[in-house]
């Protein structure tokens, strides 16, 4: 009888694309962490010698762009309350804490001619407090808060920023390097460049649509690569750390399997993932051929003398290729696309991309308009990256869910567990993932959404003078996951129906 049932079940699982039921566990050396970023939690925007960042300037001058008029002047006040933050990390039992360094806190002029010792000391104190409790720091050098002084010189659109970023990284590596094993150079180039220089959704809100985004992307990637090479040649042997970059790798599927929609999805993946991954992880290097072709063609039609996407010269291609010890994957959501029927401003990134985004029928909606839960998307994103880029080492450096205020956040806990379930399946199928990071440790200033969208495992009471932090239900769920190393035992990707056709390397164990 038992054998009979097993046969039926396996038949069902194969025919439905389901996986066998078993408890899947994260390996012992897998690391669980949580993340935050300087502007979003620190506050103390002008204390102890810190200078103005582009976010200070933007939200001071334009409070109207923020949903609830808040800004990061005080935020969660982590600059003063970091010991409480470490207490929370200990409660959760995380292996590491991903936080970012504020460039204008460390180098008030933006340059390394003047080092703000007090600013550096803050990060040293935080790191010491973490290490005291055996929590590894994972340090992001740049999470959106450029010194305003450098913006006045063009910010990420000026190629000189590559040198400025290297100078800044040197200061940080010299001071904090011996204590840090995991470095992220830059967080989400797409937010910096597309949203900051095209769509005006993020600081510096420079509207240079169709041109500035691509200058920025090239400079961001080269700045990352130069800092990677700096660490590799001057610090790696003595500090024994690794350096990666965090990219937004959301999943994109066609709305249905029509040829046009499938092509639109492929194009959208090249514009949102390939544009950043190709130069570092593809065997050929360079920007994706399809992206180069589309932008060159449109630029010509628009009367530009050359492509708006700058070229990468052979030395740059060489510098970029392989310039990362791991891929930091920030994964939040999935979208379905069709070729666009809209008129976009021309030139613009949106026009170059020309797809319309849709959402799946039964996908649950987060508080943020762009956020829907579709755990299978994380699985597919991992498999895509494996097949396109030969199984890179990865860390999930962000994944999270937004809600209203309130401690009963059942959905956040459920979403984290479901996504971890998907991750376990991707790992079973050969994905080399070393870490998962929940965004975020606590509520924080969600850029122009202010504090109207809460991402925290801990709620922050912004009205309380001590910015009281209280564990939400999801904090307890995540703590349990970390302790047991088991996620949603019963999570099956029932909506998953893909076949792995291109196998490049051995570790694929199971096929769907
Ligand atoms: C990330 N999307 O941004 C950032 O790294 C964080 O600073 C931010 O607070 C967090 O995720 C939540 O938003 C994203 O549209 C912004 O898919 C947009 C998307 C994803 C991540």
């Amino acid at each position: 009888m038992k054998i009979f049932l097993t046969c039926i079940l396996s038949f069902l699982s194969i025919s439905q694309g389901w996986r066998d039921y078993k408890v899947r566990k994260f390996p012992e050396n897998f690391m669980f962490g949580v993340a935050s970023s300087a502007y979003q939690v620190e506050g103390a925007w002008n204390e102890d010698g810190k200078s103005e960042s582009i976010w200070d300037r933007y939200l001071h001058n334009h409070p109207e762009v923020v949903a609830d008029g808040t800004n990061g002047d005080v935020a969660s006040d982590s600059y003063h309350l970091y010991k409480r933050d470490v207490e929370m990390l200990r409660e959760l039992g995380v292996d590491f804490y991903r936080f970012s360094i504020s460039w204008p806190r460390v180098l008030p002029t933006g340059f390394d001619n003047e080092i703000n010792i007090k600013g550096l000391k803050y990060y040293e104190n935080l790191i010491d407090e973490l290490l005291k409790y055996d929590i590894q720091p994972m340090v992001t050098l740049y999470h959106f808060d450029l010194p305003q002084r450098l913006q006045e010189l063009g910010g990420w659109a000026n190629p000189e920023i590559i040198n400025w970023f290297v100078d800044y990284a040197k200061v940080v590596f010299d001071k904090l390097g011996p204590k840090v094993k995991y470095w992220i150079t830059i967080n989400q180039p797409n937010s910096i460049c597309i949203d900051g220089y095209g769509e005006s959704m993020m600081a510096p809100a420079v509207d240079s649509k169709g041109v500035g985004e691509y200058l920025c992307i090239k400079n961001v990637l080269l700045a990352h690569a130069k800092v990677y090479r700096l660490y590799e040649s001057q610090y790696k042997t003595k500090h024994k750390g690794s350096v990666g970059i965090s990219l937004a790798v959301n999943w994109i599927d066609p709305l249905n399997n029509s040829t046009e929609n499938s092509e639109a999805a492929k194009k959208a993946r090249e514009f949102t993932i390939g544009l950043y991954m190709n130069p570092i992880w593809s065997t050929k290097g360079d920007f994706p051929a399809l992206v180069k072709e589309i932008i060159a063609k449109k630029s010509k039609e628009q009367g530009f003398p050359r492509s708006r996407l700058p070229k990468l010269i052979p030395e740059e291609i060489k510098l970029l290729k392989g310039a990362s010890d791991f891929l930091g994957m920030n994964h939040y959501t999935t979208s379905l696309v069709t070729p666009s029927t809209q008129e976009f401003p021309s030139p613009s990134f949106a026009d170059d991309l020309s797809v319309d985004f849709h959402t799946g029928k039964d996908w649950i909606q987060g508080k943020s308009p762009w956020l829907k839960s579709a755990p299978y998307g994380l699985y597919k994103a991992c498999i895509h990256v494996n097949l396109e880029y030969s199984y890179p080492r990865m860390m999930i450096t962000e994944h999270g869910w937004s809600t209203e205020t309130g401690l009963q956040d059942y959905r956040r806990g459920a979403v984290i567990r479901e996504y971890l379930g998907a991750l376990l399946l991707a790992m079973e199928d050969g994905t080399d993932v070393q870490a998962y990071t929940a965004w975020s440790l606590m509520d924080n200033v969600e850029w122009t959404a202010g504090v109207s969208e809460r991402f925290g495992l801990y709620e922050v009471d912004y009205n309380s003078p001590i910015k009281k932090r209280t564990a939400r239900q999801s904090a307890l769920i995540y703590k349990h996951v970390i302790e047991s190393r088991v996620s949603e035992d019963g999570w099956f990707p029932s909506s998953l129906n893909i076949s792995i056709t291109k196998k490049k390397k051995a570790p694929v164990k199971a096929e769907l």
Side-chain angles (χ1 to χ4, degrees), residues 37 40 98 143-144 187-188 190-191 195 202 248 250 330 332-333 368 370 398 439 444-447 453 455:
S37 91
Q40 296 180 273
R98 176 179 174 226
H143 199 123
F144 307 167
N187 184 66
Q188 287 193 190
N190 69 310
S191 307
D195 299 340
M202 303 286 274
N250 284 330
N330 291 358
Y332 282 87
T333 196
S368 318
W370 50 269
E398 279 181 38
W439 181 273
N444 51 62
V445 177
E446 177 57 17
W447 311 111
E453 296 169 13
F455 275 88

PDB file of all heavy atoms in Angstrom, residues 37 40 98 143-144 187-188 190-191 195 202 248 250 330 332-333 368 370 398 439 444-447 453 455, ligand 1:
ATOM      1  N   SER A  37      20.436  50.296   5.719  1.00  0.00           N
ATOM      2  CA  SER A  37      21.411  51.175   5.054  1.00  0.00           C
ATOM      3  C   SER A  37      21.507  52.490   5.820  1.00  0.00           C
ATOM      4  O   SER A  37      20.566  52.890   6.526  1.00  0.00           O
ATOM      5  CB  SER A  37      21.019  51.434   3.600  1.00  0.00           C
ATOM      6  OG  SER A  37      20.212  52.589   3.487  1.00  0.00           O
ATOM      7  N   GLN A  40      18.870  55.284   5.680  1.00  0.00           N
ATOM      8  CA  GLN A  40      17.550  54.824   6.081  1.00  0.00           C
ATOM      9  C   GLN A  40      17.394  54.625   7.592  1.00  0.00           C
ATOM     10  O   GLN A  40      16.285  54.631   8.091  1.00  0.00           O
ATOM     11  CB  GLN A  40      17.201  53.534   5.329  1.00  0.00           C
ATOM     12  CG  GLN A  40      17.103  53.765   3.822  1.00  0.00           C
ATOM     13  CD  GLN A  40      16.762  52.505   3.062  1.00  0.00           C
ATOM     14  OE1 GLN A  40      17.654  51.733   2.701  1.00  0.00           O
ATOM     15  NE2 GLN A  40      15.498  52.281   2.798  1.00  0.00           N
ATOM     16  N   ARG A  98      24.171  43.150   7.579  1.00  0.00           N
ATOM     17  CA  ARG A  98      24.573  43.966   6.425  1.00  0.00           C
ATOM     18  C   ARG A  98      24.124  45.412   6.671  1.00  0.00           C
ATOM     19  O   ARG A  98      22.932  45.675   6.833  1.00  0.00           O
ATOM     20  CB  ARG A  98      23.934  43.421   5.135  1.00  0.00           C
ATOM     21  CG  ARG A  98      24.253  44.280   3.950  1.00  0.00           C
ATOM     22  CD  ARG A  98      23.675  43.782   2.616  1.00  0.00           C
ATOM     23  NE  ARG A  98      23.963  44.798   1.623  1.00  0.00           N
ATOM     24  CZ  ARG A  98      23.109  45.280   0.736  1.00  0.00           C
ATOM     25  NH1 ARG A  98      21.885  44.802   0.642  1.00  0.00           N
ATOM     26  NH2 ARG A  98      23.462  46.235  -0.089  1.00  0.00           N
ATOM     27  N   HIS A 143      25.331  52.947  -0.543  1.00  0.00           N
ATOM     28  CA  HIS A 143      23.910  52.629  -0.617  1.00  0.00           C
ATOM     29  C   HIS A 143      23.139  53.945  -0.797  1.00  0.00           C
ATOM     30  O   HIS A 143      22.455  54.417   0.105  1.00  0.00           O
ATOM     31  CB  HIS A 143      23.461  51.877   0.642  1.00  0.00           C
ATOM     32  CG  HIS A 143      22.172  51.120   0.495  1.00  0.00           C
ATOM     33  ND1 HIS A 143      22.063  49.760   0.724  1.00  0.00           N
ATOM     34  CD2 HIS A 143      20.924  51.525   0.143  1.00  0.00           C
ATOM     35  CE1 HIS A 143      20.811  49.372   0.528  1.00  0.00           C
ATOM     36  NE2 HIS A 143      20.097  50.435   0.180  1.00  0.00           N
ATOM     37  N   PHE A 144      23.371  54.561  -1.918  1.00  0.00           N
ATOM     38  CA  PHE A 144      22.588  55.704  -2.438  1.00  0.00           C
ATOM     39  C   PHE A 144      22.913  57.095  -1.865  1.00  0.00           C
ATOM     40  O   PHE A 144      22.328  58.072  -2.319  1.00  0.00           O
ATOM     41  CB  PHE A 144      21.069  55.489  -2.281  1.00  0.00           C
ATOM     42  CG  PHE A 144      20.521  54.199  -2.838  1.00  0.00           C
ATOM     43  CD1 PHE A 144      19.225  53.781  -2.511  1.00  0.00           C
ATOM     44  CD2 PHE A 144      21.264  53.403  -3.704  1.00  0.00           C
ATOM     45  CE1 PHE A 144      18.689  52.602  -3.022  1.00  0.00           C
ATOM     46  CE2 PHE A 144      20.731  52.228  -4.224  1.00  0.00           C
ATOM     47  CZ  PHE A 144      19.441  51.815  -3.870  1.00  0.00           C
ATOM     48  N   ASN A 187      25.290  49.228  -3.931  1.00  0.00           N
ATOM     49  CA  ASN A 187      23.964  48.625  -3.897  1.00  0.00           C
ATOM     50  C   ASN A 187      23.097  49.101  -5.055  1.00  0.00           C
ATOM     51  O   ASN A 187      22.927  50.298  -5.263  1.00  0.00           O
ATOM     52  CB  ASN A 187      23.255  48.989  -2.581  1.00  0.00           C
ATOM     53  CG  ASN A 187      21.912  48.301  -2.459  1.00  0.00           C
ATOM     54  OD1 ASN A 187      21.854  47.077  -2.347  1.00  0.00           O
ATOM     55  ND2 ASN A 187      20.823  49.069  -2.508  1.00  0.00           N
ATOM     56  N   GLN A 188      22.562  48.161  -5.781  1.00  0.00           N
ATOM     57  CA  GLN A 188      21.564  48.404  -6.829  1.00  0.00           C
ATOM     58  C   GLN A 188      21.861  49.548  -7.800  1.00  0.00           C
ATOM     59  O   GLN A 188      21.196  50.586  -7.764  1.00  0.00           O
ATOM     60  CB  GLN A 188      20.179  48.606  -6.192  1.00  0.00           C
ATOM     61  CG  GLN A 188      19.638  47.315  -5.675  1.00  0.00           C
ATOM     62  CD  GLN A 188      18.142  47.372  -5.319  1.00  0.00           C
ATOM     63  OE1 GLN A 188      17.658  46.439  -4.724  1.00  0.00           O
ATOM     64  NE2 GLN A 188      17.422  48.397  -5.665  1.00  0.00           N
ATOM     65  N   ASN A 190      20.890  49.924 -10.650  1.00  0.00           N
ATOM     66  CA  ASN A 190      19.689  50.340 -11.402  1.00  0.00           C
ATOM     67  C   ASN A 190      18.935  51.446 -10.674  1.00  0.00           C
ATOM     68  O   ASN A 190      18.441  52.390 -11.296  1.00  0.00           O
ATOM     69  CB  ASN A 190      18.767  49.149 -11.687  1.00  0.00           C
ATOM     70  CG  ASN A 190      18.117  48.614 -10.424  1.00  0.00           C
ATOM     71  OD1 ASN A 190      18.802  48.363  -9.428  1.00  0.00           O
ATOM     72  ND2 ASN A 190      16.813  48.453 -10.436  1.00  0.00           N
ATOM     73  N   SER A 191      18.866  51.364  -9.335  1.00  0.00           N
ATOM     74  CA  SER A 191      18.175  52.432  -8.589  1.00  0.00           C
ATOM     75  C   SER A 191      18.959  53.729  -8.680  1.00  0.00           C
ATOM     76  O   SER A 191      18.388  54.810  -8.839  1.00  0.00           O
ATOM     77  CB  SER A 191      18.016  52.074  -7.107  1.00  0.00           C
ATOM     78  OG  SER A 191      17.402  50.826  -6.949  1.00  0.00           O
ATOM     79  N   ASP A 195      16.688  55.302 -11.726  1.00  0.00           N
ATOM     80  CA  ASP A 195      15.772  56.110 -10.914  1.00  0.00           C
ATOM     81  C   ASP A 195      16.355  57.467 -10.530  1.00  0.00           C
ATOM     82  O   ASP A 195      15.619  58.389 -10.209  1.00  0.00           O
ATOM     83  CB  ASP A 195      15.376  55.351  -9.640  1.00  0.00           C
ATOM     84  CG  ASP A 195      14.666  54.054  -9.964  1.00  0.00           C
ATOM     85  OD1 ASP A 195      14.146  53.920 -11.089  1.00  0.00           O
ATOM     86  OD2 ASP A 195      14.640  53.153  -9.100  1.00  0.00           O
ATOM     87  N   MET A 202      14.560  58.809  -7.451  1.00  0.00           N
ATOM     88  CA  MET A 202      15.527  58.767  -6.367  1.00  0.00           C
ATOM     89  C   MET A 202      16.455  59.975  -6.522  1.00  0.00           C
ATOM     90  O   MET A 202      16.635  60.489  -7.630  1.00  0.00           O
ATOM     91  CB  MET A 202      16.393  57.495  -6.478  1.00  0.00           C
ATOM     92  CG  MET A 202      15.643  56.169  -6.476  1.00  0.00           C
ATOM     93  SD  MET A 202      15.019  55.700  -4.866  1.00  0.00           S
ATOM     94  CE  MET A 202      16.421  54.879  -4.154  1.00  0.00           C
ATOM     95  N   ALA A 248      19.919  44.324  -8.378  1.00  0.00           N
ATOM     96  CA  ALA A 248      18.499  43.994  -8.292  1.00  0.00           C
ATOM     97  C   ALA A 248      18.225  42.911  -9.336  1.00  0.00           C
ATOM     98  O   ALA A 248      18.364  43.161 -10.525  1.00  0.00           O
ATOM     99  CB  ALA A 248      17.666  45.230  -8.587  1.00  0.00           C
ATOM    100  N   ASN A 250      15.208  40.987  -9.949  1.00  0.00           N
ATOM    101  CA  ASN A 250      13.818  40.540  -9.881  1.00  0.00           C
ATOM    102  C   ASN A 250      13.568  39.656 -11.083  1.00  0.00           C
ATOM    103  O   ASN A 250      14.288  39.720 -12.076  1.00  0.00           O
ATOM    104  CB  ASN A 250      12.883  41.745  -9.904  1.00  0.00           C
ATOM    105  CG  ASN A 250      12.862  42.459  -8.555  1.00  0.00           C
ATOM    106  OD1 ASN A 250      13.054  41.821  -7.510  1.00  0.00           O
ATOM    107  ND2 ASN A 250      12.645  43.758  -8.575  1.00  0.00           N
ATOM    108  N   ASN A 330      19.688  41.070  -4.887  1.00  0.00           N
ATOM    109  CA  ASN A 330      18.540  41.642  -4.185  1.00  0.00           C
ATOM    110  C   ASN A 330      17.302  41.212  -4.960  1.00  0.00           C
ATOM    111  O   ASN A 330      17.138  41.591  -6.123  1.00  0.00           O
ATOM    112  CB  ASN A 330      18.609  43.176  -4.163  1.00  0.00           C
ATOM    113  CG  ASN A 330      19.735  43.699  -3.286  1.00  0.00           C
ATOM    114  OD1 ASN A 330      20.461  42.929  -2.653  1.00  0.00           O
ATOM    115  ND2 ASN A 330      19.883  45.008  -3.244  1.00  0.00           N
ATOM    116  N   TYR A 332      13.104  40.854  -4.875  1.00  0.00           N
ATOM    117  CA  TYR A 332      11.874  41.206  -4.151  1.00  0.00           C
ATOM    118  C   TYR A 332      10.605  40.696  -4.800  1.00  0.00           C
ATOM    119  O   TYR A 332       9.652  40.372  -4.132  1.00  0.00           O
ATOM    120  CB  TYR A 332      11.758  42.734  -4.031  1.00  0.00           C
ATOM    121  CG  TYR A 332      12.631  43.330  -2.955  1.00  0.00           C
ATOM    122  CD1 TYR A 332      13.947  43.687  -3.223  1.00  0.00           C
ATOM    123  CD2 TYR A 332      12.150  43.535  -1.667  1.00  0.00           C
ATOM    124  CE1 TYR A 332      14.752  44.235  -2.242  1.00  0.00           C
ATOM    125  CE2 TYR A 332      12.944  44.077  -0.670  1.00  0.00           C
ATOM    126  CZ  TYR A 332      14.245  44.423  -0.962  1.00  0.00           C
ATOM    127  OH  TYR A 332      15.043  44.962   0.020  1.00  0.00           O
ATOM    128  N   THR A 333      10.590  40.668  -6.143  1.00  0.00           N
ATOM    129  CA  THR A 333       9.288  40.471  -6.776  1.00  0.00           C
ATOM    130  C   THR A 333       9.446  39.964  -8.210  1.00  0.00           C
ATOM    131  O   THR A 333      10.565  39.809  -8.716  1.00  0.00           O
ATOM    132  CB  THR A 333       8.490  41.801  -6.723  1.00  0.00           C
ATOM    133  OG1 THR A 333       7.116  41.547  -6.992  1.00  0.00           O
ATOM    134  CG2 THR A 333       9.024  42.825  -7.718  1.00  0.00           C
ATOM    135  N   SER A 368       4.030  48.268  -0.665  1.00  0.00           N
ATOM    136  CA  SER A 368       4.635  49.026  -1.754  1.00  0.00           C
ATOM    137  C   SER A 368       3.955  48.642  -3.061  1.00  0.00           C
ATOM    138  O   SER A 368       3.774  47.450  -3.325  1.00  0.00           O
ATOM    139  CB  SER A 368       6.125  48.716  -1.871  1.00  0.00           C
ATOM    140  OG  SER A 368       6.713  48.644  -0.597  1.00  0.00           O
ATOM    141  N   TRP A 370       4.871  48.323  -6.019  1.00  0.00           N
ATOM    142  CA  TRP A 370       5.620  47.471  -6.940  1.00  0.00           C
ATOM    143  C   TRP A 370       5.845  46.052  -6.403  1.00  0.00           C
ATOM    144  O   TRP A 370       6.378  45.208  -7.116  1.00  0.00           O
ATOM    145  CB  TRP A 370       6.986  48.092  -7.245  1.00  0.00           C
ATOM    146  CG  TRP A 370       7.746  48.492  -6.002  1.00  0.00           C
ATOM    147  CD1 TRP A 370       7.703  49.713  -5.384  1.00  0.00           C
ATOM    148  CD2 TRP A 370       8.616  47.671  -5.211  1.00  0.00           C
ATOM    149  NE1 TRP A 370       8.508  49.704  -4.273  1.00  0.00           N
ATOM    150  CE2 TRP A 370       9.079  48.466  -4.144  1.00  0.00           C
ATOM    151  CE3 TRP A 370       9.065  46.343  -5.292  1.00  0.00           C
ATOM    152  CZ2 TRP A 370       9.953  47.988  -3.165  1.00  0.00           C
ATOM    153  CZ3 TRP A 370       9.939  45.871  -4.320  1.00  0.00           C
ATOM    154  CH2 TRP A 370      10.369  46.687  -3.264  1.00  0.00           C
ATOM    155  N   GLU A 398      19.385  40.982  -0.250  1.00  0.00           N
ATOM    156  CA  GLU A 398      18.140  41.603   0.209  1.00  0.00           C
ATOM    157  C   GLU A 398      16.953  40.807  -0.303  1.00  0.00           C
ATOM    158  O   GLU A 398      16.932  40.375  -1.452  1.00  0.00           O
ATOM    159  CB  GLU A 398      17.981  43.040  -0.345  1.00  0.00           C
ATOM    160  CG  GLU A 398      18.725  44.106   0.400  1.00  0.00           C
ATOM    161  CD  GLU A 398      18.489  45.493  -0.195  1.00  0.00           C
ATOM    162  OE1 GLU A 398      17.358  45.801  -0.634  1.00  0.00           O
ATOM    163  OE2 GLU A 398      19.453  46.262  -0.232  1.00  0.00           O
ATOM    164  N   TRP A 439      15.498  41.950   4.347  1.00  0.00           N
ATOM    165  CA  TRP A 439      15.384  43.398   4.415  1.00  0.00           C
ATOM    166  C   TRP A 439      14.071  43.690   5.100  1.00  0.00           C
ATOM    167  O   TRP A 439      13.040  43.380   4.524  1.00  0.00           O
ATOM    168  CB  TRP A 439      15.397  44.035   3.006  1.00  0.00           C
ATOM    169  CG  TRP A 439      15.294  45.526   3.111  1.00  0.00           C
ATOM    170  CD1 TRP A 439      14.162  46.280   3.183  1.00  0.00           C
ATOM    171  CD2 TRP A 439      16.397  46.446   3.209  1.00  0.00           C
ATOM    172  NE1 TRP A 439      14.468  47.607   3.318  1.00  0.00           N
ATOM    173  CE2 TRP A 439      15.831  47.737   3.342  1.00  0.00           C
ATOM    174  CE3 TRP A 439      17.791  46.313   3.222  1.00  0.00           C
ATOM    175  CZ2 TRP A 439      16.619  48.886   3.475  1.00  0.00           C
ATOM    176  CZ3 TRP A 439      18.565  47.453   3.342  1.00  0.00           C
ATOM    177  CH2 TRP A 439      17.967  48.726   3.462  1.00  0.00           C
ATOM    178  N   ASN A 444      12.458  51.535   8.417  1.00  0.00           N
ATOM    179  CA  ASN A 444      13.410  52.587   8.070  1.00  0.00           C
ATOM    180  C   ASN A 444      12.803  53.532   7.049  1.00  0.00           C
ATOM    181  O   ASN A 444      11.676  53.317   6.600  1.00  0.00           O
ATOM    182  CB  ASN A 444      14.710  51.948   7.549  1.00  0.00           C
ATOM    183  CG  ASN A 444      14.440  50.943   6.458  1.00  0.00           C
ATOM    184  OD1 ASN A 444      13.916  51.294   5.407  1.00  0.00           O
ATOM    185  ND2 ASN A 444      14.792  49.685   6.690  1.00  0.00           N
ATOM    186  N   VAL A 445      13.543  54.559   6.735  1.00  0.00           N
ATOM    187  CA  VAL A 445      13.021  55.552   5.794  1.00  0.00           C
ATOM    188  C   VAL A 445      13.089  54.949   4.393  1.00  0.00           C
ATOM    189  O   VAL A 445      14.169  54.751   3.841  1.00  0.00           O
ATOM    190  CB  VAL A 445      13.852  56.856   5.860  1.00  0.00           C
ATOM    191  CG1 VAL A 445      13.352  57.860   4.831  1.00  0.00           C
ATOM    192  CG2 VAL A 445      13.780  57.441   7.267  1.00  0.00           C
ATOM    193  N   GLU A 446      11.907  54.643   3.874  1.00  0.00           N
ATOM    194  CA  GLU A 446      11.850  53.951   2.589  1.00  0.00           C
ATOM    195  C   GLU A 446      11.907  54.994   1.462  1.00  0.00           C
ATOM    196  O   GLU A 446      10.976  55.145   0.688  1.00  0.00           O
ATOM    197  CB  GLU A 446      10.589  53.067   2.558  1.00  0.00           C
ATOM    198  CG  GLU A 446      10.292  52.322   1.284  1.00  0.00           C
ATOM    199  CD  GLU A 446      11.407  51.392   0.790  1.00  0.00           C
ATOM    200  OE1 GLU A 446      12.312  51.037   1.554  1.00  0.00           O
ATOM    201  OE2 GLU A 446      11.341  51.045  -0.400  1.00  0.00           O
ATOM    202  N   TRP A 447      12.986  55.744   1.439  1.00  0.00           N
ATOM    203  CA  TRP A 447      13.234  56.751   0.402  1.00  0.00           C
ATOM    204  C   TRP A 447      12.020  57.661   0.235  1.00  0.00           C
ATOM    205  O   TRP A 447      11.536  58.172   1.241  1.00  0.00           O
ATOM    206  CB  TRP A 447      13.680  56.044  -0.895  1.00  0.00           C
ATOM    207  CG  TRP A 447      14.790  55.057  -0.595  1.00  0.00           C
ATOM    208  CD1 TRP A 447      14.730  53.696  -0.649  1.00  0.00           C
ATOM    209  CD2 TRP A 447      16.130  55.355  -0.111  1.00  0.00           C
ATOM    210  NE1 TRP A 447      15.927  53.132  -0.249  1.00  0.00           N
ATOM    211  CE2 TRP A 447      16.808  54.123   0.078  1.00  0.00           C
ATOM    212  CE3 TRP A 447      16.822  56.536   0.173  1.00  0.00           C
ATOM    213  CZ2 TRP A 447      18.125  54.045   0.540  1.00  0.00           C
ATOM    214  CZ3 TRP A 447      18.141  56.455   0.619  1.00  0.00           C
ATOM    215  CH2 TRP A 447      18.766  55.224   0.797  1.00  0.00           C
ATOM    216  N   GLU A 453       5.724  52.851   4.233  1.00  0.00           N
ATOM    217  CA  GLU A 453       5.865  51.425   3.891  1.00  0.00           C
ATOM    218  C   GLU A 453       6.877  50.843   4.859  1.00  0.00           C
ATOM    219  O   GLU A 453       8.028  51.248   4.880  1.00  0.00           O
ATOM    220  CB  GLU A 453       6.366  51.265   2.451  1.00  0.00           C
ATOM    221  CG  GLU A 453       5.395  51.798   1.422  1.00  0.00           C
ATOM    222  CD  GLU A 453       6.007  51.890   0.016  1.00  0.00           C
ATOM    223  OE1 GLU A 453       7.088  51.330  -0.222  1.00  0.00           O
ATOM    224  OE2 GLU A 453       5.379  52.534  -0.842  1.00  0.00           O
ATOM    225  N   PHE A 455       9.209  47.880   6.326  1.00  0.00           N
ATOM    226  CA  PHE A 455       9.888  46.644   5.920  1.00  0.00           C
ATOM    227  C   PHE A 455      10.510  45.903   7.099  1.00  0.00           C
ATOM    228  O   PHE A 455      11.180  44.890   6.908  1.00  0.00           O
ATOM    229  CB  PHE A 455      10.998  46.957   4.903  1.00  0.00           C
ATOM    230  CG  PHE A 455      10.522  47.055   3.467  1.00  0.00           C
ATOM    231  CD1 PHE A 455      10.062  48.249   2.942  1.00  0.00           C
ATOM    232  CD2 PHE A 455      10.530  45.934   2.638  1.00  0.00           C
ATOM    233  CE1 PHE A 455       9.634  48.337   1.619  1.00  0.00           C
ATOM    234  CE2 PHE A 455      10.107  46.008   1.315  1.00  0.00           C
ATOM    235  CZ  PHE A 455       9.662  47.204   0.803  1.00  0.00           C
TER     236      PHE A 455
HETATM  237  C1  LIG B   1      15.846  48.156  -2.281  1.00  0.00           C
HETATM  238  N1  LIG B   1      11.607  47.035  -7.005  1.00  0.00           N
HETATM  239  O1  LIG B   1      15.200  48.937  -3.240  1.00  0.00           O
HETATM  240  C2  LIG B   1      16.887  49.032  -1.621  1.00  0.00           C
HETATM  241  O2  LIG B   1      18.158  48.460  -1.690  1.00  0.00           O
HETATM  242  C3  LIG B   1      16.536  49.390  -0.205  1.00  0.00           C
HETATM  243  O3  LIG B   1      17.233  50.533   0.177  1.00  0.00           O
HETATM  244  C4  LIG B   1      15.043  49.543  -0.050  1.00  0.00           C
HETATM  245  O4  LIG B   1      14.650  50.058   1.171  1.00  0.00           O
HETATM  246  C5  LIG B   1      14.435  48.158  -0.264  1.00  0.00           C
HETATM  247  O5  LIG B   1      14.911  47.576  -1.460  1.00  0.00           O
HETATM  248  C6  LIG B   1      12.912  48.158  -0.272  1.00  0.00           C
HETATM  249  O6  LIG B   1      12.432  48.951  -1.310  1.00  0.00           O
HETATM  250  C7  LIG B   1      14.287  48.395  -4.122  1.00  0.00           C
HETATM  251  O7  LIG B   1      10.887  47.852  -7.627  1.00  0.00           O
HETATM  252  C8  LIG B   1      13.461  49.287  -4.763  1.00  0.00           C
HETATM  253  O8  LIG B   1      11.516  45.834  -7.263  1.00  0.00           O
HETATM  254  C9  LIG B   1      12.576  48.844  -5.725  1.00  0.00           C
HETATM  255  C10 LIG B   1      12.517  47.485  -6.032  1.00  0.00           C
HETATM  256  C11 LIG B   1      13.335  46.589  -5.382  1.00  0.00           C
HETATM  257  C12 LIG B   1      14.223  47.050  -4.425  1.00  0.00           C
END
